Every structure is written in C-alpha cells, then in structure tokens.
Amino acid sequence: EKTTYFFQLITDNVYINVFPPIEEKPFIVERQDHIRFHVQELSQGTINQLYVSLRLAISMVMSESLQLPFIMDDAFVHFDMIRYDRMIQILENVSDQHQILLFTCKQDLTSRINDKNLLRLTNAVPIVEN
C-alpha cells in the first residue's frame, strides 16, 4: 500500500496500483487505464521510480519499530525535472519524520532543495596513494 502511495505521487497518478511479486511472478504495476505491466516491460525511468517508491515504503514500515535514516545515492538518475520536483516534495514531507541522506553530484537537483536543515557537502576528499 505504501509503495503504491509513493508510486502514485511520483508518477502523478499515471500508475495507480503496485502488486507485489507472487511465486515466480515479478512486480506488476497498473496504469490509470487499468492496463497492467510486468516490471520488465517498463521504461528504465519508471523502474527507477518504482524502486524508489519501494525503498521509501520499506523505510516507512521499518521506522515504525526502528529509527533508521533513509539513504539514497543518485537514485534519480533517470528522472526528468518534473519527477525531480515531485521527488523533492516527497522527501521534504518524509524528512519531517525521518533523517534523509541523499548523495548526488547533480547540482540541478541540490539547487531545488530548500530545506533549512540541509547540509551540503561540497568539498571533495583528496585520494591519498600509498
């Protein structure tokens, strides 16, 4: 249910349902026109959106008993600017209750985040050779 909720938000309700794997069958998603797709039939961007939705949902469920940060490393590589903005809104809402660690080298993504508690790490760590 939580995966579906996040997937609906990210896709602006283009996809309305996520069905978990059953036996040997993979994830199935349902579009608003009620056509269903196996995960391997989706574009790479949509697969990434499903993956991020699943990770957010797992984090929310786990946080009911454990307080763990939500960690992402360039999870939005295949997102366009519209989905970047939707994802940032979701993360800002989630960050009210969860610590989020977002690693990215994309300036366009970090420039869209306006959280007062945001800590930007901009200095690269030099590589020391032996």
Side-chain angles (χ1 to χ4, degrees), residues 6 21 26-27 50 55 58 66 75 85 98 105 107 112 118 123:
F6 288 119
F27 276 96
L50 177 60
R55 289 186 59 206
I58 290 170
L66 301 168
D85 290 338
H98 301 280
C105 61
Q107 294 275 336
R112 294 175 173 326
L118 178 69
N123 294 333

Side-chain angles (χ1 to χ4, degrees), residues 54-90:
L54 180 62
R55 289 186 59 206
L56 280 166
I58 290 170
S59 176
M60 299 299 284
V61 170
M62 287 182 62
S63 71
E64 293 170 3
S65 60
L66 301 168
Q67 290 298 318
L68 300 171
F70 184 66
I71 302 170
M72 292 181 290
D73 185 5
D74 266 335
F76 317 130
V77 173
H78 297 282
F79 284 30
D80 58 23
M81 288 303 151
I82 293 170
R83 285 175 185 82
Y84 269 162
D85 290 338
R86 286 186 197 136
M87 199 61 228
I88 290 167
Q89 183 63 46
I90 290 168

Side-chain angles (χ1 to χ4, degrees), residues 11-125:
T11 65
D12 196 27
N13 291 311
V14 170
Y15 292 92
I16 59 170
N17 239 324
V18 176
F19 300 98
I22 301 173
E23 297 171 15
E24 299 296 318
K25 296 181 181 179
F27 276 96
I28 294 174
V29 298
E30 182 178 5
R31 206 168 51 192
Q32 63 187 3
D33 59 6
H34 303 291
I35 295 176
R36 294 182 180 188
F37 300 92
H38 288 102
V39 69
Q40 57 266 47
E41 297 177 297
L42 302 172
S43 70
Q44 188 61 49
T46 305
I47 291 170
N48 286 8
Q49 293 160 28
L50 177 60
Y51 176 67
V52 169
S53 299
L54 180 62
R55 289 186 59 206
L56 280 166
I58 290 170
S59 176
M60 299 299 284
V61 170
M62 287 182 62
S63 71
E64 293 170 3
S65 60
L66 301 168
Q67 290 298 318
L68 300 171
F70 184 66
I71 302 170
M72 292 181 290
D73 185 5
D74 266 335
F76 317 130
V77 173
H78 297 282
F79 284 30
D80 58 23
M81 288 303 151
I82 293 170
R83 285 175 185 82
Y84 269 162
D85 290 338
R86 286 186 197 136
M87 199 61 228
I88 290 167
Q89 183 63 46
I90 290 168
L91 293 178
E92 287 175 351
N93 291 337
V94 169
S95 73
D96 291 340
Q97 299 174 4
H98 301 280
Q99 180 183 27
I100 298 174
L101 303 176
L102 173 62
F103 297 93
T104 186
C105 61
K106 303 209 178 298
Q107 294 275 336
D108 57 335
L109 176 60
T110 59
S111 66
R112 294 175 173 326
I113 300 173
N114 297 317
D115 191 310
K116 64 180 177 176
N117 295 317
L118 178 69
L119 176 61
R120 295 177 197 273
L121 305 176
T122 56
N123 294 333
V125 177

